Amino acid sequence: MALCATDTARALSCRDGGAAARLKLVALFVIFLTSVVGISSPVLLARLFHGRPAYDKAVLVIKCFAAGVILSTSLVHVLPDAFVALADCRVASRHPWKDFPFSGLITLIGVLTALLVDLTATSHVDSHGHGQISSGYKPVGTNEELTAVCKGAAVELGVEGRLRTAAAAEEEAAKVKQRLVSQVLEIGIIFHSVIIGVTLGMSQNQCTIRPLVAALAFHQIFEGMGLGGCIAQAGFSFGTTAYMCFMFSVTTPMGIVLGMIVFSVTGYDDNSPNALIMEGLLGSLSSGVLVYMGLVDLIALDFFHNKLMSSQLWLKKASFTALVLGSTSMSILALWA
């Protein structure tokens, strides 16, 4: 309890509503601009170099950098913050929070939820989309008619045509999978961004806000590059790409505005036990989603199931280097935020 009293005294000395409000207004514009730069850079570069020989390799390296950023975001930023929130003496001294490690449990639930969504969507694609793509024809009345149609199609297409059709079907199925990964990943990142924004918006501690604004600017650039790399490889239409970039760019500023409104209307303290519990639970859940997406749908998918990488050793080394650089870049930011 003495530690709690010391922390409370330090926080009160930094509380200045007017200075905090001015810093938040600066944060709105800075974070929005850095978010736009971060997420749009990989998308614009991908569209600029689309069709060139090095395009696929460049997108793959960017995606591996993105995977490192996302994994580091989850394990170095989000999950430790969730543990700290639920381990706070004002929370950990109460039932049931002192009786069970809820941060780990909710993270596990996040992982299993992401797996369930992934399995459900993949099964739906396999049973509907991929089956229709790979068929190439519609079934006709009898077995004899169906056999005749198949033989005629085989003769007409030849071996090369059949291989080309199979390759196109496989490529289309991979595109569908990558789109699903990008959408689920954005949901997890947006979840995390809302928590950051609301927490910053409700805070009246200028000593916390000032370094947090600078750190969040770099945070949004790297996280935006991570998501933007996945969106670029997914091959969305222009409208969908613009919408996903817009949603990422405005989520954290909207969270800040929401936090400011909540505080002004209710006077709700961001350091209250209930706020810490909510922050810890939501952070743990989003951390679980990001861990699963980073390890399973990004790293494992590219390093073990990507034909382009498996056929070129130098590309595998470059991709691993990009993965380490992405992880390192995001981890260093934990010194400030």
mmCIF file with all atom_site columns, all heavy atoms in Angstrom, residues 170-194:
data_model
loop_
_atom_site.group_PDB
_atom_site.id
_atom_site.type_symbol
_atom_site.label_atom_id
_atom_site.label_alt_id
_atom_site.label_comp_id
_atom_site.label_asym_id
_atom_site.label_entity_id
_atom_site.label_seq_id
_atom_site.pdbx_PDB_ins_code
_atom_site.Cartn_x
_atom_site.Cartn_y
_atom_site.Cartn_z
_atom_site.occupancy
_atom_site.B_iso_or_equiv
_atom_site.pdbx_formal_charge
_atom_site.auth_seq_id
_atom_site.auth_comp_id
_atom_site.auth_asym_id
_atom_site.auth_atom_id
_atom_site.pdbx_PDB_model_num
ATOM 1   N N   . GLU A 1 170 ? -5.188  -22.258 -57.463 1.00 0.00 ? 170 GLU A N   1
ATOM 2   C CA  . GLU A 1 170 ? -4.379  -22.207 -56.242 1.00 0.00 ? 170 GLU A CA  1
ATOM 3   C C   . GLU A 1 170 ? -4.021  -20.773 -55.878 1.00 0.00 ? 170 GLU A C   1
ATOM 4   O O   . GLU A 1 170 ? -4.058  -20.375 -54.710 1.00 0.00 ? 170 GLU A O   1
ATOM 5   C CB  . GLU A 1 170 ? -3.115  -23.036 -56.446 1.00 0.00 ? 170 GLU A CB  1
ATOM 6   C CG  . GLU A 1 170 ? -2.241  -23.144 -55.201 1.00 0.00 ? 170 GLU A CG  1
ATOM 7   C CD  . GLU A 1 170 ? -1.013  -24.003 -55.431 1.00 0.00 ? 170 GLU A CD  1
ATOM 8   O OE1 . GLU A 1 170 ? -0.943  -24.670 -56.488 1.00 0.00 ? 170 GLU A OE1 1
ATOM 9   O OE2 . GLU A 1 170 ? -0.138  -23.992 -54.560 1.00 0.00 ? 170 GLU A OE2 1
ATOM 10  N N   . GLU A 1 171 ? -3.682  -19.982 -56.898 1.00 0.00 ? 171 GLU A N   1
ATOM 11  C CA  . GLU A 1 171 ? -3.345  -18.586 -56.664 1.00 0.00 ? 171 GLU A CA  1
ATOM 12  C C   . GLU A 1 171 ? -4.538  -17.806 -56.139 1.00 0.00 ? 171 GLU A C   1
ATOM 13  O O   . GLU A 1 171 ? -4.418  -16.981 -55.235 1.00 0.00 ? 171 GLU A O   1
ATOM 14  C CB  . GLU A 1 171 ? -2.831  -17.949 -57.968 1.00 0.00 ? 171 GLU A CB  1
ATOM 15  C CG  . GLU A 1 171 ? -2.393  -16.502 -57.805 1.00 0.00 ? 171 GLU A CG  1
ATOM 16  C CD  . GLU A 1 171 ? -1.882  -15.906 -59.107 1.00 0.00 ? 171 GLU A CD  1
ATOM 17  O OE1 . GLU A 1 171 ? -1.730  -16.676 -60.082 1.00 0.00 ? 171 GLU A OE1 1
ATOM 18  O OE2 . GLU A 1 171 ? -1.651  -14.695 -59.137 1.00 0.00 ? 171 GLU A OE2 1
ATOM 19  N N   . GLU A 1 172 ? -5.722  -18.087 -56.699 1.00 0.00 ? 172 GLU A N   1
ATOM 20  C CA  . GLU A 1 172 ? -6.931  -17.397 -56.254 1.00 0.00 ? 172 GLU A CA  1
ATOM 21  C C   . GLU A 1 172 ? -7.276  -17.774 -54.813 1.00 0.00 ? 172 GLU A C   1
ATOM 22  O O   . GLU A 1 172 ? -7.679  -16.920 -54.004 1.00 0.00 ? 172 GLU A O   1
ATOM 23  C CB  . GLU A 1 172 ? -8.105  -17.754 -57.181 1.00 0.00 ? 172 GLU A CB  1
ATOM 24  C CG  . GLU A 1 172 ? -9.405  -17.024 -56.853 1.00 0.00 ? 172 GLU A CG  1
ATOM 25  C CD  . GLU A 1 172 ? -9.294  -15.520 -56.999 1.00 0.00 ? 172 GLU A CD  1
ATOM 26  O OE1 . GLU A 1 172 ? -8.445  -15.059 -57.791 1.00 0.00 ? 172 GLU A OE1 1
ATOM 27  O OE2 . GLU A 1 172 ? -10.035 -14.807 -56.311 1.00 0.00 ? 172 GLU A OE2 1
ATOM 28  N N   . ALA A 1 173 ? -7.110  -19.058 -54.470 1.00 0.00 ? 173 ALA A N   1
ATOM 29  C CA  . ALA A 1 173 ? -7.364  -19.501 -53.096 1.00 0.00 ? 173 ALA A CA  1
ATOM 30  C C   . ALA A 1 173 ? -6.397  -18.823 -52.124 1.00 0.00 ? 173 ALA A C   1
ATOM 31  O O   . ALA A 1 173 ? -6.781  -18.435 -51.019 1.00 0.00 ? 173 ALA A O   1
ATOM 32  C CB  . ALA A 1 173 ? -7.231  -21.017 -53.004 1.00 0.00 ? 173 ALA A CB  1
ATOM 33  N N   . ALA A 1 174 ? -5.131  -18.656 -52.535 1.00 0.00 ? 174 ALA A N   1
ATOM 34  C CA  . ALA A 1 174 ? -4.147  -17.972 -51.698 1.00 0.00 ? 174 ALA A CA  1
ATOM 35  C C   . ALA A 1 174 ? -4.531  -16.509 -51.505 1.00 0.00 ? 174 ALA A C   1
ATOM 36  O O   . ALA A 1 174 ? -4.356  -15.944 -50.417 1.00 0.00 ? 174 ALA A O   1
ATOM 37  C CB  . ALA A 1 174 ? -2.763  -18.079 -52.324 1.00 0.00 ? 174 ALA A CB  1
ATOM 38  N N   . LYS A 1 175 ? -5.062  -15.881 -52.563 1.00 0.00 ? 175 LYS A N   1
ATOM 39  C CA  . LYS A 1 175 ? -5.505  -14.490 -52.474 1.00 0.00 ? 175 LYS A CA  1
ATOM 40  C C   . LYS A 1 175 ? -6.642  -14.355 -51.460 1.00 0.00 ? 175 LYS A C   1
ATOM 41  O O   . LYS A 1 175 ? -6.666  -13.431 -50.641 1.00 0.00 ? 175 LYS A O   1
ATOM 42  C CB  . LYS A 1 175 ? -5.996  -14.005 -53.846 1.00 0.00 ? 175 LYS A CB  1
ATOM 43  C CG  . LYS A 1 175 ? -4.883  -13.642 -54.809 1.00 0.00 ? 175 LYS A CG  1
ATOM 44  C CD  . LYS A 1 175 ? -4.361  -12.245 -54.529 1.00 0.00 ? 175 LYS A CD  1
ATOM 45  C CE  . LYS A 1 175 ? -3.414  -11.818 -55.657 1.00 0.00 ? 175 LYS A CE  1
ATOM 46  N NZ  . LYS A 1 175 ? -2.666  -10.614 -55.284 1.00 0.00 ? 175 LYS A NZ  1
ATOM 47  N N   . VAL A 1 176 ? -7.605  -15.279 -51.541 1.00 0.00 ? 176 VAL A N   1
ATOM 48  C CA  . VAL A 1 176 ? -8.739  -15.248 -50.616 1.00 0.00 ? 176 VAL A CA  1
ATOM 49  C C   . VAL A 1 176 ? -8.250  -15.396 -49.184 1.00 0.00 ? 176 VAL A C   1
ATOM 50  O O   . VAL A 1 176 ? -8.709  -14.700 -48.270 1.00 0.00 ? 176 VAL A O   1
ATOM 51  C CB  . VAL A 1 176 ? -9.757  -16.358 -50.967 1.00 0.00 ? 176 VAL A CB  1
ATOM 52  C CG1 . VAL A 1 176 ? -10.842 -16.460 -49.903 1.00 0.00 ? 176 VAL A CG1 1
ATOM 53  C CG2 . VAL A 1 176 ? -10.385 -16.092 -52.330 1.00 0.00 ? 176 VAL A CG2 1
ATOM 54  N N   . LYS A 1 177 ? -7.303  -16.320 -48.974 1.00 0.00 ? 177 LYS A N   1
ATOM 55  C CA  . LYS A 1 177 ? -6.737  -16.531 -47.642 1.00 0.00 ? 177 LYS A CA  1
ATOM 56  C C   . LYS A 1 177 ? -6.036  -15.279 -47.148 1.00 0.00 ? 177 LYS A C   1
ATOM 57  O O   . LYS A 1 177 ? -6.200  -14.878 -45.986 1.00 0.00 ? 177 LYS A O   1
ATOM 58  C CB  . LYS A 1 177 ? -5.753  -17.705 -47.697 1.00 0.00 ? 177 LYS A CB  1
ATOM 59  C CG  . LYS A 1 177 ? -4.950  -17.934 -46.438 1.00 0.00 ? 177 LYS A CG  1
ATOM 60  C CD  . LYS A 1 177 ? -5.807  -18.408 -45.297 1.00 0.00 ? 177 LYS A CD  1
ATOM 61  C CE  . LYS A 1 177 ? -4.954  -18.740 -44.073 1.00 0.00 ? 177 LYS A CE  1
ATOM 62  N NZ  . LYS A 1 177 ? -5.778  -19.148 -42.926 1.00 0.00 ? 177 LYS A NZ  1
ATOM 63  N N   . GLN A 1 178 ? -5.259  -14.627 -48.019 1.00 0.00 ? 178 GLN A N   1
ATOM 64  C CA  . GLN A 1 178 ? -4.526  -13.435 -47.612 1.00 0.00 ? 178 GLN A CA  1
ATOM 65  C C   . GLN A 1 178 ? -5.476  -12.286 -47.287 1.00 0.00 ? 178 GLN A C   1
ATOM 66  O O   . GLN A 1 178 ? -5.219  -11.498 -46.372 1.00 0.00 ? 178 GLN A O   1
ATOM 67  C CB  . GLN A 1 178 ? -3.565  -13.007 -48.736 1.00 0.00 ? 178 GLN A CB  1
ATOM 68  C CG  . GLN A 1 178 ? -2.667  -11.835 -48.372 1.00 0.00 ? 178 GLN A CG  1
ATOM 69  C CD  . GLN A 1 178 ? -1.806  -12.121 -47.168 1.00 0.00 ? 178 GLN A CD  1
ATOM 70  O OE1 . GLN A 1 178 ? -1.248  -13.204 -47.043 1.00 0.00 ? 178 GLN A OE1 1
ATOM 71  N NE2 . GLN A 1 178 ? -1.699  -11.167 -46.274 1.00 0.00 ? 178 GLN A NE2 1
ATOM 72  N N   . ARG A 1 179 ? -6.579  -12.195 -48.022 1.00 0.00 ? 179 ARG A N   1
ATOM 73  C CA  . ARG A 1 179 ? -7.572  -11.162 -47.711 1.00 0.00 ? 179 ARG A CA  1
ATOM 74  C C   . ARG A 1 179 ? -8.188  -11.386 -46.343 1.00 0.00 ? 179 ARG A C   1
ATOM 75  O O   . ARG A 1 179 ? -8.409  -10.442 -45.574 1.00 0.00 ? 179 ARG A O   1
ATOM 76  C CB  . ARG A 1 179 ? -8.651  -11.142 -48.798 1.00 0.00 ? 179 ARG A CB  1
ATOM 77  C CG  . ARG A 1 179 ? -8.150  -10.591 -50.128 1.00 0.00 ? 179 ARG A CG  1
ATOM 78  C CD  . ARG A 1 179 ? -9.122  -10.838 -51.248 1.00 0.00 ? 179 ARG A CD  1
ATOM 79  N NE  . ARG A 1 179 ? -8.544  -10.430 -52.529 1.00 0.00 ? 179 ARG A NE  1
ATOM 80  C CZ  . ARG A 1 179 ? -9.058  -10.727 -53.713 1.00 0.00 ? 179 ARG A CZ  1
ATOM 81  N NH1 . ARG A 1 179 ? -10.164 -11.454 -53.781 1.00 0.00 ? 179 ARG A NH1 1
ATOM 82  N NH2 . ARG A 1 179 ? -8.469  -10.311 -54.812 1.00 0.00 ? 179 ARG A NH2 1
ATOM 83  N N   . LEU A 1 180 ? -8.482  -12.650 -46.043 1.00 0.00 ? 180 LEU A N   1
ATOM 84  C CA  . LEU A 1 180 ? -9.031  -12.985 -44.730 1.00 0.00 ? 180 LEU A CA  1
ATOM 85  C C   . LEU A 1 180 ? -8.033  -12.620 -43.637 1.00 0.00 ? 180 LEU A C   1
ATOM 86  O O   . LEU A 1 180 ? -8.403  -12.018 -42.612 1.00 0.00 ? 180 LEU A O   1
ATOM 87  C CB  . LEU A 1 180 ? -9.356  -14.477 -44.673 1.00 0.00 ? 180 LEU A CB  1
ATOM 88  C CG  . LEU A 1 180 ? -9.741  -15.025 -43.292 1.00 0.00 ? 180 LEU A CG  1
ATOM 89  C CD1 . LEU A 1 180 ? -11.069 -14.433 -42.853 1.00 0.00 ? 180 LEU A CD1 1
ATOM 90  C CD2 . LEU A 1 180 ? -9.814  -16.534 -43.322 1.00 0.00 ? 180 LEU A CD2 1
ATOM 91  N N   . VAL A 1 181 ? -6.757  -12.963 -43.838 1.00 0.00 ? 181 VAL A N   1
ATOM 92  C CA  . VAL A 1 181 ? -5.718  -12.645 -42.857 1.00 0.00 ? 181 VAL A CA  1
ATOM 93  C C   . VAL A 1 181 ? -5.652  -11.140 -42.618 1.00 0.00 ? 181 VAL A C   1
ATOM 94  O O   . VAL A 1 181 ? -5.601  -10.673 -41.478 1.00 0.00 ? 181 VAL A O   1
ATOM 95  C CB  . VAL A 1 181 ? -4.352  -13.176 -43.330 1.00 0.00 ? 181 VAL A CB  1
ATOM 96  C CG1 . VAL A 1 181 ? -3.221  -12.629 -42.476 1.00 0.00 ? 181 VAL A CG1 1
ATOM 97  C CG2 . VAL A 1 181 ? -4.338  -14.701 -43.301 1.00 0.00 ? 181 VAL A CG2 1
ATOM 98  N N   . SER A 1 182 ? -5.678  -10.352 -43.701 1.00 0.00 ? 182 SER A N   1
ATOM 99  C CA  . SER A 1 182 ? -5.579  -8.898  -43.581 1.00 0.00 ? 182 SER A CA  1
ATOM 100 C C   . SER A 1 182 ? -6.755  -8.320  -42.807 1.00 0.00 ? 182 SER A C   1
ATOM 101 O O   . SER A 1 182 ? -6.585  -7.430  -41.967 1.00 0.00 ? 182 SER A O   1
ATOM 102 C CB  . SER A 1 182 ? -5.514  -8.259  -44.976 1.00 0.00 ? 182 SER A CB  1
ATOM 103 O OG  . SER A 1 182 ? -4.410  -8.739  -45.700 1.00 0.00 ? 182 SER A OG  1
ATOM 104 N N   . GLN A 1 183 ? -7.953  -8.835  -43.063 1.00 0.00 ? 183 GLN A N   1
ATOM 105 C CA  . GLN A 1 183 ? -9.138  -8.312  -42.397 1.00 0.00 ? 183 GLN A CA  1
ATOM 106 C C   . GLN A 1 183 ? -9.153  -8.648  -40.912 1.00 0.00 ? 183 GLN A C   1
ATOM 107 O O   . GLN A 1 183 ? -9.438  -7.784  -40.069 1.00 0.00 ? 183 GLN A O   1
ATOM 108 C CB  . GLN A 1 183 ? -10.398 -8.844  -43.093 1.00 0.00 ? 183 GLN A CB  1
ATOM 109 C CG  . GLN A 1 183 ? -10.595 -8.247  -44.479 1.00 0.00 ? 183 GLN A CG  1
ATOM 110 C CD  . GLN A 1 183 ? -11.621 -9.002  -45.307 1.00 0.00 ? 183 GLN A CD  1
ATOM 111 O OE1 . GLN A 1 183 ? -11.936 -10.156 -45.030 1.00 0.00 ? 183 GLN A OE1 1
ATOM 112 N NE2 . GLN A 1 183 ? -12.154 -8.352  -46.326 1.00 0.00 ? 183 GLN A NE2 1
ATOM 113 N N   . VAL A 1 184 ? -8.828  -9.899  -40.571 1.00 0.00 ? 184 VAL A N   1
ATOM 114 C CA  . VAL A 1 184 ? -8.787  -10.281 -39.156 1.00 0.00 ? 184 VAL A CA  1
ATOM 115 C C   . VAL A 1 184 ? -7.664  -9.528  -38.438 1.00 0.00 ? 184 VAL A C   1
ATOM 116 O O   . VAL A 1 184 ? -7.821  -9.089  -37.292 1.00 0.00 ? 184 VAL A O   1
ATOM 117 C CB  . VAL A 1 184 ? -8.607  -11.805 -39.005 1.00 0.00 ? 184 VAL A CB  1
ATOM 118 C CG1 . VAL A 1 184 ? -8.467  -12.195 -37.533 1.00 0.00 ? 184 VAL A CG1 1
ATOM 119 C CG2 . VAL A 1 184 ? -9.783  -12.547 -39.624 1.00 0.00 ? 184 VAL A CG2 1
ATOM 120 N N   . LEU A 1 185 ? -6.545  -9.363  -39.117 1.00 0.00 ? 185 LEU A N   1
ATOM 121 C CA  . LEU A 1 185 ? -5.416  -8.638  -38.538 1.00 0.00 ? 185 LEU A CA  1
ATOM 122 C C   . LEU A 1 185 ? -5.796  -7.188  -38.256 1.00 0.00 ? 185 LEU A C   1
ATOM 123 O O   . LEU A 1 185 ? -5.464  -6.643  -37.192 1.00 0.00 ? 185 LEU A O   1
ATOM 124 C CB  . LEU A 1 185 ? -4.235  -8.698  -39.497 1.00 0.00 ? 185 LEU A CB  1
ATOM 125 C CG  . LEU A 1 185 ? -2.919  -8.096  -39.017 1.00 0.00 ? 185 LEU A CG  1
ATOM 126 C CD1 . LEU A 1 185 ? -2.433  -8.820  -37.774 1.00 0.00 ? 185 LEU A CD1 1
ATOM 127 C CD2 . LEU A 1 185 ? -1.872  -8.190  -40.115 1.00 0.00 ? 185 LEU A CD2 1
ATOM 128 N N   . GLU A 1 186 ? -6.508  -6.558  -39.181 1.00 0.00 ? 186 GLU A N   1
ATOM 129 C CA  . GLU A 1 186 ? -6.914  -5.171  -38.955 1.00 0.00 ? 186 GLU A CA  1
ATOM 130 C C   . GLU A 1 186 ? -7.862  -5.061  -37.770 1.00 0.00 ? 186 GLU A C   1
ATOM 131 O O   . GLU A 1 186 ? -7.791  -4.105  -36.989 1.00 0.00 ? 186 GLU A O   1
ATOM 132 C CB  . GLU A 1 186 ? -7.572  -4.583  -40.207 1.00 0.00 ? 186 GLU A CB  1
ATOM 133 C CG  . GLU A 1 186 ? -8.077  -3.172  -39.986 1.00 0.00 ? 186 GLU A CG  1
ATOM 134 C CD  . GLU A 1 186 ? -8.129  -2.340  -41.248 1.00 0.00 ? 186 GLU A CD  1
ATOM 135 O OE1 . GLU A 1 186 ? -8.347  -2.909  -42.313 1.00 0.00 ? 186 GLU A OE1 1
ATOM 136 O OE2 . GLU A 1 186 ? -7.955  -1.112  -41.144 1.00 0.00 ? 186 GLU A OE2 1
ATOM 137 N N   . ILE A 1 187 ? -8.743  -6.042  -37.611 1.00 0.00 ? 187 ILE A N   1
ATOM 138 C CA  . ILE A 1 187 ? -9.659  -6.028  -36.467 1.00 0.00 ? 187 ILE A CA  1
ATOM 139 C C   . ILE A 1 187 ? -8.865  -6.058  -35.160 1.00 0.00 ? 187 ILE A C   1
ATOM 140 O O   . ILE A 1 187 ? -9.140  -5.299  -34.227 1.00 0.00 ? 187 ILE A O   1
ATOM 141 C CB  . ILE A 1 187 ? -10.642 -7.218  -36.537 1.00 0.00 ? 187 ILE A CB  1
ATOM 142 C CG1 . ILE A 1 187 ? -11.608 -7.028  -37.708 1.00 0.00 ? 187 ILE A CG1 1
ATOM 143 C CG2 . ILE A 1 187 ? -11.423 -7.358  -35.228 1.00 0.00 ? 187 ILE A CG2 1
ATOM 144 C CD1 . ILE A 1 187 ? -12.482 -8.234  -37.977 1.00 0.00 ? 187 ILE A CD1 1
ATOM 145 N N   . GLY A 1 188 ? -7.861  -6.951  -35.089 1.00 0.00 ? 188 GLY A N   1
ATOM 146 C CA  . GLY A 1 188 ? -7.039  -7.033  -33.886 1.00 0.00 ? 188 GLY A CA  1
ATOM 147 C C   . GLY A 1 188 ? -6.271  -5.751  -33.619 1.00 0.00 ? 188 GLY A C   1
ATOM 148 O O   . GLY A 1 188 ? -6.193  -5.278  -32.477 1.00 0.00 ? 188 GLY A O   1
ATOM 149 N N   . ILE A 1 189 ? -5.709  -5.145  -34.673 1.00 0.00 ? 189 ILE A N   1
ATOM 150 C CA  . ILE A 1 189 ? -4.938  -3.912  -34.518 1.00 0.00 ? 189 ILE A CA  1
ATOM 151 C C   . ILE A 1 189 ? -5.849  -2.752  -34.133 1.00 0.00 ? 189 ILE A C   1
ATOM 152 O O   . ILE A 1 189 ? -5.499  -1.917  -33.281 1.00 0.00 ? 189 ILE A O   1
ATOM 153 C CB  . ILE A 1 189 ? -4.164  -3.602  -35.817 1.00 0.00 ? 189 ILE A CB  1
ATOM 154 C CG1 . ILE A 1 189 ? -3.024  -4.613  -35.987 1.00 0.00 ? 189 ILE A CG1 1
ATOM 155 C CG2 . ILE A 1 189 ? -3.610  -2.183  -35.803 1.00 0.00 ? 189 ILE A CG2 1
ATOM 156 C CD1 . ILE A 1 189 ? -2.249  -4.463  -37.272 1.00 0.00 ? 189 ILE A CD1 1
ATOM 157 N N   . ILE A 1 190 ? -7.034  -2.674  -34.746 1.00 0.00 ? 190 ILE A N   1
ATOM 158 C CA  . ILE A 1 190 ? -7.976  -1.610  -34.414 1.00 0.00 ? 190 ILE A CA  1
ATOM 159 C C   . ILE A 1 190 ? -8.411  -1.713  -32.953 1.00 0.00 ? 190 ILE A C   1
ATOM 160 O O   . ILE A 1 190 ? -8.537  -0.713  -32.234 1.00 0.00 ? 190 ILE A O   1
ATOM 161 C CB  . ILE A 1 190 ? -9.189  -1.659  -35.364 1.00 0.00 ? 190 ILE A CB  1
ATOM 162 C CG1 . ILE A 1 190 ? -8.802  -1.074  -36.732 1.00 0.00 ? 190 ILE A CG1 1
ATOM 163 C CG2 . ILE A 1 190 ? -10.386 -0.907  -34.781 1.00 0.00 ? 190 ILE A CG2 1
ATOM 164 C CD1 . ILE A 1 190 ? -9.896  -1.145  -37.763 1.00 0.00 ? 190 ILE A CD1 1
ATOM 165 N N   . PHE A 1 191 ? -8.652  -2.952  -32.510 1.00 0.00 ? 191 PHE A N   1
ATOM 166 C CA  . PHE A 1 191 ? -8.995  -3.196  -31.114 1.00 0.00 ? 191 PHE A CA  1
ATOM 167 C C   . PHE A 1 191 ? -7.925  -2.601  -30.201 1.00 0.00 ? 191 PHE A C   1
ATOM 168 O O   . PHE A 1 191 ? -8.219  -1.889  -29.232 1.00 0.00 ? 191 PHE A O   1
ATOM 169 C CB  . PHE A 1 191 ? -9.103  -4.705  -30.904 1.00 0.00 ? 191 PHE A CB  1
ATOM 170 C CG  . PHE A 1 191 ? -10.060 -5.116  -29.826 1.00 0.00 ? 191 PHE A CG  1
ATOM 171 C CD1 . PHE A 1 191 ? -10.934 -4.215  -29.248 1.00 0.00 ? 191 PHE A CD1 1
ATOM 172 C CD2 . PHE A 1 191 ? -10.082 -6.436  -29.399 1.00 0.00 ? 191 PHE A CD2 1
ATOM 173 C CE1 . PHE A 1 191 ? -11.817 -4.596  -28.259 1.00 0.00 ? 191 PHE A CE1 1
ATOM 174 C CE2 . PHE A 1 191 ? -10.965 -6.842  -28.405 1.00 0.00 ? 191 PHE A CE2 1
ATOM 175 C CZ  . PHE A 1 191 ? -11.825 -5.910  -27.829 1.00 0.00 ? 191 PHE A CZ  1
ATOM 176 N N   . HIS A 1 192 ? -6.677  -2.891  -30.520 1.00 0.00 ? 192 HIS A N   1
ATOM 177 C CA  . HIS A 1 192 ? -5.534  -2.391  -29.750 1.00 0.00 ? 192 HIS A CA  1
ATOM 178 C C   . HIS A 1 192 ? -5.449  -0.862  -29.843 1.00 0.00 ? 192 HIS A C   1
ATOM 179 O O   . HIS A 1 192 ? -5.199  -0.184  -28.833 1.00 0.00 ? 192 HIS A O   1
ATOM 180 C CB  . HIS A 1 192 ? -4.273  -3.064  -30.290 1.00 0.00 ? 192 HIS A CB  1
ATOM 181 C CG  . HIS A 1 192 ? -2.998  -2.417  -29.874 1.00 0.00 ? 192 HIS A CG  1
ATOM 182 N ND1 . HIS A 1 192 ? -2.688  -2.136  -28.565 1.00 0.00 ? 192 HIS A ND1 1
ATOM 183 C CD2 . HIS A 1 192 ? -1.923  -2.011  -30.606 1.00 0.00 ? 192 HIS A CD2 1
ATOM 184 C CE1 . HIS A 1 192 ? -1.494  -1.575  -28.499 1.00 0.00 ? 192 HIS A CE1 1
ATOM 185 N NE2 . HIS A 1 192 ? -1.019  -1.496  -29.720 1.00 0.00 ? 192 HIS A NE2 1
ATOM 186 N N   . SER A 1 193 ? -5.685  -0.301  -31.022 1.00 0.00 ? 193 SER A N   1
ATOM 187 C CA  . SER A 1 193 ? -5.582  1.144   -31.221 1.00 0.00 ? 193 SER A CA  1
ATOM 188 C C   . SER A 1 193 ? -6.651  1.900   -30.440 1.00 0.00 ? 193 SER A C   1
ATOM 189 O O   . SER A 1 193 ? -6.393  2.998   -29.923 1.00 0.00 ? 193 SER A O   1
ATOM 190 C CB  . SER A 1 193 ? -5.694  1.482   -32.711 1.00 0.00 ? 193 SER A CB  1
ATOM 191 O OG  . SER A 1 193 ? -4.639  0.893   -33.442 1.00 0.00 ? 193 SER A OG  1
ATOM 192 N N   . VAL A 1 194 ? -7.849  1.341   -30.378 1.00 0.00 ? 194 VAL A N   1
ATOM 193 C CA  . VAL A 1 194 ? -8.918  1.980   -29.608 1.00 0.00 ? 194 VAL A CA  1
ATOM 194 C C   . VAL A 1 194 ? -8.532  2.061   -28.132 1.00 0.00 ? 194 VAL A C   1
ATOM 195 O O   . VAL A 1 194 ? -8.723  3.088   -27.473 1.00 0.00 ? 194 VAL A O   1
ATOM 196 C CB  . VAL A 1 194 ? -10.248 1.214   -29.775 1.00 0.00 ? 194 VAL A CB  1
ATOM 197 C CG1 . VAL A 1 194 ? -11.277 1.698   -28.764 1.00 0.00 ? 194 VAL A CG1 1
ATOM 198 C CG2 . VAL A 1 194 ? -10.791 1.399   -31.176 1.00 0.00 ? 194 VAL A CG2 1
#
